[in-house]
Structures are given as structure tokens and as C-alpha cells.
Amino acid sequence: MANVVQITGCPAKMVVSLRNSKWVVISVDLEHNHELSPPDETKFLRSHKHMTDQEKLFIRTFNSVKLPTRKIMAIVAYLRGGVGALPYTKKYVSNVRTAIRNECRQNDMTQVLEYFRKRKQADPRFFYDFKLGEGNKVLSLFWSDEHSRKMYELYGDCVSFDTTYKTNRYNLPFAPFVGVTCHGNNFLFACAFVQNETIDVFTWLFQTFRECMGNKDPTTIITDQCVSMGKAIPVVLPNIVHRFCFFHIRKKAEEKCGRSFATKIDLHADFSDILRNSLTVQEFEILWPQMIRRYDVGHLKYLKAMWDNRHRFVPVYFKKDFFPFIHSTARSEGTNSVFKDNVGSTYSVISFLSEYQRICEAIQEKEKEQDSITRTTIPSYHFHSEIEIQAGSIYNRQIFCKFQSQLKFTTKLHVDEVVKNERYEVYKTRMLAEKEFRPRRFIVLVNLLEEYFSCICCKFHKDGIVCSHILRVLVNLNISELLAKYFLDRWKPKERKTIRDRKFNLPMQLTEKDSHLRFSLLSDRLIDIASDGSKSNDRYLMVVEEAKKIHEKLDAMSIADEQEELLRKHESNQEASRTLIFDDGYADILQNPDVAKPRGRPTTAGQLKTLAEQFRTKQKITCSHCGSNEHNYATCTSKHLPKSSFEKKTASKKASGSSAPKHKDSSRKTEQSKAKKMSKGQASPMEL
């Protein structure tokens, strides 16, 4: 409902004129013909709402980090001394944010192209690519920066890939390539927005990914159960191991076969045990048919489909492939959730990219923090055994915690010697074994001459750390240390060489690209100078004099930089006048993509309606002021007339209509018969 400000023709006014560089009040009339608003309500008047330039700068800063309007209001209210002291409302702040977003009317994809080109200038290894349609319309885009490509060279052996929606206004699926770092954390190797989830699009995406990463293929990849991915990956990456997400397939089985799991005792426990705990392929392929016959569930179609696709998702088929601490696409989904916490379905792609950069920096800072923890601290030891201390000095801290959990579990295991110094069986204690649906014994093979240890669980092949079963055998054999080959370099700290500037004896990263670090360093030094310089007047005068000299030198450098920039722009303009195509092969203007339709059944509000039902329930436009069905309130031309006059006319029409009920009933029946004919296809549009 809209509120209209009543026009009273108030004569109150003040006339001011600028005369001889001075403002002069010409006339003042303070008489009002209406009641004045209380002082604490003036901020609700349009003429009294105002915001200082400093507050607008605050809002611009808060808007750049995607702070919600309610939190912005809380901050500015705190600075003002409370919500009551604010001379504007929450809606006013929201309007200011909208104005900031609308400052640049440039095409979204053109802004994205300019952003990529600027990143390319600052980062020569920054990679980007577009897939274009007719009229330079963007269908898909892909990008990766220098640090991501460097991390892929180190840790690109395993990739988790999944797509998600509702991260941009075009509803383009967001497709991040996620890997596992040396600390076991998630890391973004590359990202893309794709037109849809078809075979052709995924083929283009994986080919672009290979090109970006120097044609280096990952060893393994895990995705969801997408048919298009399953067909595109073998074409582009034929030599890698591709598996589906175990978690989603198992969850869908529990949903589709829920009635059978609920009614048949032990079916779900047996089902989970076979899928998760089978030690060999032969064991799985024997136990599964037995389960189908025992519980008489051969008629369940989804279980048949799981059996047909068992080579694509059951963990036992991938126990010798390197999938470090991965059984599902949870790492991709965790990355997607981070983005969805910071961006929404109304964001443009250029807004998404600024948030993407911030998230990437946060991920990199987390890696640096873990590097620092590993380098500067000592882990807490539980057993103080030689193996534990050896692992603590070799592994990164988070990987050592995973190794330590395996070492702890050895206290819950027993070992039997089958063949001395060759074959051992490891099994859980009686109390733990009783909790399992099907107790198992783990076979550990030993060759003491070559110091070779192998377990049937193959955890070392899959995760890159030794399992608890091998550790238990080592304890039994009184072996206190492991060979270096059982500590993968992947999980060890990486040396970070800092190149320093000879002239200033500072790290090069502080004197080259990272302006934030340079600013922090200068701030610390200048604060120390100000502290020392303020102790006496002589020191103060000396610092001021030196500061003037520094300012003069900086001004001279700024003038030289400006002249160089003007010269560079002039040369680039001359180059642009000769051709409209840049070195990257893309024109200046790219067209925004169309809004994509998500896969699956389209969402509808309520039950689907027939054509006749839609005809009967079609809503009419009604003006809230005059009651007309020809227009709405915004386009009403009778706002100058009081609403009460229209209400009287409406009441008189209803009174006259009540005196002829037969005519009203007959018209209703006529409309119903027309609707029935329309639904059956018997009525022409002219009859209706």
C-alpha cells in the first residue's frame, strides 16, 4: 500500500541569494498551515533525510564486503549514538547501496573481461577463457590464477568436481575444481560458470582445464552421479580413475528403499556393512547377492541399479587408488557452501568475482597459518613412542593428527601371528567386535629384509598414511621407526624461500606486488618515527623537515608515473584504433548470458492446473484507489479525487446487483460452461 503526501500549499519559505560572494537572506515566512512533525520523527520526512559524505564512504566500504543492511545500520547507529540519532531509515541505506551498485551501467560480461585483463597484467600466469555463442553472447567462462596453478602442480593428483546453482543472477551452474593441500584442507584449482550440464559443455570445460594446467592430468577425480560428466571425462581425461560420490548414492538408496529398510530387520545394517566395510572385491560380490536373497529384495530397482554400477562408487573398488580422505564430493560441496554464504542468486558475475578473490585469499591465509603452526610449534604427544615422535617431526600438523588417531586405535586391536615374520592377522578387541555387524580380520604381510609392510585395507595407497593395523604389527615386532618411503612428501612441510631486496634488506614480496603488506610495514615504521620524533621539539622539527623532502621525492615519482601511464594509454589507444580485438581474441563488448534453467523437474508453486482452472483463477488488475480493473494505483489518473467517492459508487453497484440474482447466477453458469469447453478444446477463442 502506497502512502501519498498530502499537498497543502504551505506558505512557509526562506529566500536566500548569493550577493558579493555572500549568502543573504531576502525573506522569511515561518507561518505553516499544517501541524508540524515532532522532532524525533523528522527523519521519516523525505526533505529531512540526509547522510554525511563520511557515512556514504562507510556504506561503500561495507557494501564492498557484502555486509547486510541491518548490520550496516547497527554500525552507523553505534557511531551516531543510537538508532534514534540517525537522520535516515534502513530503507534509505538500502537505496544508497542500490545507487552504488548501479553506478556502473556497463555490460556485466564486459566488466568481467576487463577484470580478467587487469588480473592478467598484474599476474602473467592468470588464465581465463570464454565460450561464446552468436553475437558474442557468453555461454561459459573459466579462470584460474597463478597461485592456484602452482598448487595444482604440487597437489593436483586428486580433484573433486561438482556443480551448484544460485550463485549468480543468470543461474549459471558454478563449477569449482577442488583439491586437497598438504595440510588436508580444500583448495580451489580453478573455477567456471557453465551454460548447462551437457556433454558438450563439460567436454569444453575439461579441455580448458587441461590447457590451463599445462596438459597435466590428475590421477583421480570424484564427481556426483551425472551422466554428462560420466561421458565427457573419459573423452578428455581417458587415463584417470573416475568414481561417483558414494554418499549421495547411498543416501538415495535409503530414500528409495526406506520402506524395505524399515520393515526388514537388519537389512539396513547388512547393507551398510557390505558397502562400507568389504575388504576385497570378491567379498563384496559374494555378500551382496546373499543379502538380496536373504531379505528378498530382488524386486527393488534401485538396488539392481547399484549392483550394475558398483564399479563406479563402491569404496572397495577404489581402495588402491589415491583419494586422500575422500569418499564423496563433500569437499566440493563444502566449497560451494562457503560461496553461498557470501553470494546470492541476485549477484552479477563481476560481484561474484570480487567475492571469489576474497575467499581465495582467505584460503591462502589458512594455508600460511598451518605452515606457521607446523614450523614454529611442537605437537602434543600421547605415547611418546619413537614412531609417534618421528611422525610428529616429519608430517604437517593436521596430517600428524590423522596419523596419531591411527596410532591411538592400535590400543583397541589384537594381533595373531599366522606365519612368523611374514603374515599377521589384526582384529578388534571383543568388546568392539560385538558392536560390528560382521567382524573382520585384517591381513598384514611383512618382509623384514626389505622392510615392506602391506595391509589388506590399503589405507596407505588411498590416503598416503600408514593404517592402524600395520602400526599394531610394528608394535608387536618391536619396530620403533618407519622407513622414509612410508612418509609421502605430499604431507611434509614445503620449504619457503624468501628472496630479499639487497638494497633495503626486505622480502621481495613487500617491494613488488603486495601493496597491503607494504602499507602495513610502512605504517609500523612511521608510527615508531612519530613516537620518537614527538619526544622533543628538535626531534619534531627534524622529522617534519625530512618528511617534506620525502614528500617532494614522492611527488616527483608520482609525476613520472603519471607521464608513463599517459604514454602507455596513448600507445594502447593507437593500438586499439587499428583493431578492436585484443591479444586474448575477445571483442571489447561481450553480451550477458541468458538465464539458465536448472536440471531436474521445474519448481512450481502448488499443484499443476489445467487450462480451465487457470482461466477461472486468473487474477485481474485492480486499482486500490478507484477500484478500476483497467490499471493499477501507480497509473491511476484519479488520485486527486478522494477515495471515499469511489467507495460509494462501488457500494451502490453492489446494491443494484443484489436485486438481480438470477442474472448473476446465469452469467456464472455461462462462464463455467465456457471454461469446460475451453479445457476440452470444443470452444474457439472467439466464443470465449
Side-chain angles (χ1 to χ4, degrees):
M1 180 178 179
N3 298 315
V4 180
V5 178
Q6 185 179 5
I7 300 175
T8 63
C10 180
K13 65 179 179 179
M14 181 174 69
V15 180
V16 183
S17 177
L18 181 63
R19 296 180 180 179
N20 298 327
S21 302
K22 293 183 179 181
W23 290 101
V24 180
V25 178
I26 304 301
S27 63
V28 178
D29 188 352
L30 301 179
E31 295 295 328
H32 296 269
N33 63 357
H34 58 86
E35 184 180 356
L36 298 179
S37 298
D40 57 349
E41 294 182 6
T42 55
K43 64 180 179 181
F44 302 118
L45 301 177
R46 186 182 304 173
S47 59
H48 286 63
K49 293 178 181 178
H50 67 278
M51 182 180 291
T52 64
D53 293 338
Q54 289 79 7
E55 287 174 324
K56 290 181 179 179
L57 289 175
F58 269 127
I59 292 176
R60 187 178 295 274
T61 303
F62 297 148
N63 185 71
S64 65
V65 296
K66 309 299 184 294
L67 201 67
T69 304
R70 56 183 176 81
K71 292 188 177 181
I72 295 177
M73 279 291 292
I75 294 173
V76 294
Y78 176 79
L79 296 175
R80 280 270 190 173
V83 178
L86 288 176
Y88 44 82
T89 60
K90 182 179 178 181
K91 181 63 177 176
Y92 189 82
V93 175
S94 179
N95 292 340
V96 172
R97 297 187 69 188
T98 302
I100 293 172
R101 287 195 294 267
N102 293 336
E103 282 180 351
C104 186
R105 298 286 184 178
Q106 201 175 15
N107 182 290
D108 187 21
M109 288 297 108
T110 302
Q111 294 183 68
V112 171
L113 180 59
E114 291 181 358
Y115 172 83
F116 284 163
R117 285 172 174 170
K118 289 180 180 178
R119 290 291 306 275
K120 184 73 173 179
Q121 289 179 351
D123 178 6
R125 290 200 67 196
F126 185 85
F127 183 94
Y128 64 93
D129 195 10
F130 291 89
K131 183 181 181 183
L132 304 180
E134 296 181 0
N136 283 335
K137 179 173 290 187
V138 175
L139 302 180
S140 304
L141 61 152
F142 173 95
W143 72 95
S144 179
D145 58 23
E146 177 187 14
H147 189 66
S148 298
R149 297 173 72 180
K150 181 179 178 182
M151 292 294 283
Y152 179 81
E153 293 175 0
L154 296 173
Y155 312 115
D157 41 18
C158 179
V159 172
S160 176
F161 179 77
D162 193 13
T163 58
T164 186
Y165 285 84
K166 298 188 181 302
T167 58
N168 58 89
R169 67 176 58 162
Y170 312 106
N171 205 31
L172 296 177
F174 173 57
F177 291 83
V178 181
V180 183
T181 68
C182 59
H183 299 285
N185 297 326
N186 296 345
F187 195 88
L188 283 170
F189 293 144
C191 290
F193 284 115
V194 293
Q195 175 190 9
N196 49 45
E197 295 175 298
T198 60
I199 299 175
D200 293 338
V201 171
F202 282 130
T203 301
W204 171 85
L205 179 58
F206 291 122
Q207 287 175 345
T208 306
F209 178 75
R210 288 191 76 247
E211 179 185 355
C212 172
M213 301 305 172
N215 294 324
K216 176 186 176 182
D217 296 342
T219 306
T220 57
I221 187 170
I222 183 168
T223 68
D224 63 357
Q225 197 176 11
C226 176
V227 177
S228 300
M229 290 184 198
K231 293 183 178 180
I233 290 176
V235 174
V236 184
L237 306 169
N239 299 320
I240 71 171
V241 178
H242 176 209
R243 68 182 289 189
F244 290 150
C245 174
F246 170 72
F247 171 78
H248 285 92
I249 296 176
R250 180 171 174 266
K251 181 181 178 182
K252 191 177 292 185
E254 293 172 347
E255 294 172 354
K256 292 183 176 293
C257 308
R259 183 182 296 274
S260 297
F261 286 147
T263 56
K264 298 181 182 296
I265 301 175
D266 292 337
L267 172 59
H268 184 266
D270 199 358
F271 169 83
S272 300
D273 178 75
I274 294 172
L275 283 177
R276 298 173 64 91
N277 301 324
S278 293
L279 294 178
T280 63
V281 173
Q282 293 79 5
E283 179 187 1
F284 174 80
E285 294 186 350
I286 291 173
L287 292 178
W288 184 275
Q290 291 179 357
M291 178 193 70
I292 298 297
R293 291 191 298 269
R294 183 183 303 116
Y295 300 102
D296 191 22
V297 289
H299 61 283
L300 298 179
K301 295 181 180 179
Y302 194 78
L303 294 184
K304 292 180 181 178
M306 291 179 67
W307 173 255
D308 294 337
N309 293 300
R310 62 190 182 277
H311 302 91
R312 306 300 300 273
F313 74 95
V314 178
V316 71
Y317 289 93
F318 302 95
K319 69 176 187 176
K320 292 186 178 181
D321 299 309
F322 189 67
F323 286 95
F325 318 115
I326 291 178
H327 280 296
S328 67
T329 56
R331 291 186 178 270
S332 295
E333 292 172 358
T335 305
N336 294 339
S337 65
V338 172
F339 280 97
K340 287 191 175 182
D341 285 341
N342 295 275
V343 296
S345 57
T346 60
Y347 277 57
S348 61
V349 175
I350 190 65
S351 298
F352 180 94
L353 288 174
S354 62
E355 192 62 32
Y356 161 83
Q357 184 64 25
R358 193 173 294 110
I359 292 173
C360 285
E361 291 174 356
I363 293 175
Q364 294 176 22
E365 287 300 314
K366 186 176 181 180
E367 285 295 299
K368 293 178 183 178
E369 180 185 8
Q370 291 300 321
D371 287 340
S372 176
I373 291 174
T374 302
R375 189 177 298 109
T376 59
T377 63
I378 299 174
S380 299
Y381 297 112
H382 294 283
F383 304 99
H384 293 275
S385 62
E386 294 184 45
I387 290 181
E388 185 183 22
I389 295 174
Q390 179 190 17
S393 62
I394 293 177
Y395 280 137
N396 284 314
R397 189 56 40 81
Q398 290 188 350
I399 303 301
F400 171 70
C401 291
K402 295 180 182 296
F403 178 88
Q404 198 174 45
S405 65
Q406 294 293 319
L407 196 59
K408 286 181 184 178
F409 197 71
T410 58
T411 60
K412 302 176 182 179
L413 298 175
H414 292 316
V415 58
D416 287 343
E417 185 180 68
V418 180
V419 179
K420 187 176 182 179
N421 296 335
E422 291 185 11
R423 184 186 178 98
Y424 295 85
E425 288 187 358
V426 180
Y427 53 94
K428 292 182 180 180
T429 59
R430 183 177 58 83
M431 184 180 298
L432 293 178
E434 289 177 351
K435 298 179 181 179
E436 292 189 331
F437 184 84
R438 187 179 285 109
R440 289 176 172 81
R441 286 177 171 256
F442 296 83
I443 300 174
V444 177
L445 300 180
V446 177
N447 187 333
L448 294 179
L449 293 177
E450 298 180 1
E451 295 192 37
Y452 170 80
F453 304 93
S454 175
C455 180
I456 194 173
C457 73
C458 295
K459 183 176 180 62
F460 183 75
H461 295 85
K462 179 189 170 297
D463 294 332
I465 61 174
V466 176
C467 64
S468 58
H469 315 114
I470 293 178
L471 293 174
R472 181 65 182 87
V473 172
L474 293 178
V475 173
N476 185 71
L477 294 174
N478 295 321
I479 297 177
S480 58
E481 289 186 355
L482 274 172
L483 285 182
K485 65 180 179 181
Y486 292 105
F487 297 99
L488 297 186
D489 291 338
R490 194 188 197 283
W491 304 129
K492 297 178 182 179
K494 296 295 184 292
E495 293 185 4
R496 294 183 59 187
K497 296 182 179 179
T498 302
I499 303 175
R500 305 185 72 87
D501 187 287
R502 292 184 178 180
K503 182 178 180 181
F504 300 102
N505 193 27
L506 295 173
M508 291 295 292
Q509 62 177 352
L510 299 180
T511 59
E512 287 185 339
K513 298 179 181 178
D514 202 326
S515 61
H516 295 289
L517 288 174
R518 293 198 300 266
F519 178 81
S520 299
L521 181 62
L522 285 175
S523 298
D524 293 339
R525 292 202 172 190
L526 292 176
I527 288 174
D528 293 338
I529 292 173
S531 177
D532 292 339
S534 62
K535 292 180 179 179
S536 66
N537 191 49
D538 293 338
R539 292 187 177 190
Y540 166 75
L541 294 176
M542 185 272 293
V543 170
V544 170
E545 187 65 26
E546 293 298 324
K548 288 181 180 179
K549 295 179 181 179
I550 293 174
H551 272 295
E552 292 174 357
K553 293 181 180 179
L554 290 176
D555 289 340
M557 294 176 68
S558 298
I559 293 173
D561 291 341
E562 290 177 359
Q563 292 176 350
E564 184 179 352
E565 181 68 17
L566 289 174
L567 180 62
R568 189 185 62 79
K569 286 185 178 180
H570 179 69
E571 293 177 352
S572 63
N573 290 336
Q574 289 181 343
E575 182 68 21
S577 63
R578 290 193 293 267
T579 176
L580 294 176
I581 304 298
F582 284 78
D583 292 339
D584 54 14
Y586 300 111
D588 279 344
I589 299 177
L590 299 179
Q591 299 301 320
N592 294 339
D594 297 328
V595 178
K597 295 181 179 179
R599 64 182 179 184
R601 181 179 297 177
T603 56
T604 56
Q607 185 179 2
L608 293 175
K609 296 180 180 180
T610 63
L611 189 60
E613 290 173 334
Q614 295 177 13
F615 177 78
R616 286 196 298 267
T617 59
K618 184 179 180 181
Q619 296 180 353
K620 295 182 179 180
I621 299 174
T622 304
C623 178
S624 60
H625 183 70
C626 66
S628 174
N629 294 327
E630 302 296 330
H631 59 264
N632 56 17
Y633 178 82
T635 57
C636 182
T637 58
S638 303
K639 294 180 184 177
H640 61 285
L641 299 176
K643 187 176 181 180
S644 58
S645 61
F646 297 105
E647 292 176 351
K648 292 179 181 178
K649 292 180 181 180
T650 305
S652 62
K653 287 181 180 180
K654 290 182 178 179
S656 61
S658 61
S659 61
K662 294 182 180 180
H663 177 72
K664 186 176 181 180
D665 293 340
S666 62
S667 63
R668 183 183 300 171
K669 291 180 180 178
T670 303
E671 291 181 1
Q672 292 178 353
S673 62
K674 288 180 180 180
K676 290 180 180 179
K677 289 182 179 180
M678 187 175 178
S679 63
K680 295 180 180 180
Q682 298 174 354
S684 64
M686 293 298 295
E687 291 178 346
L688 298 176

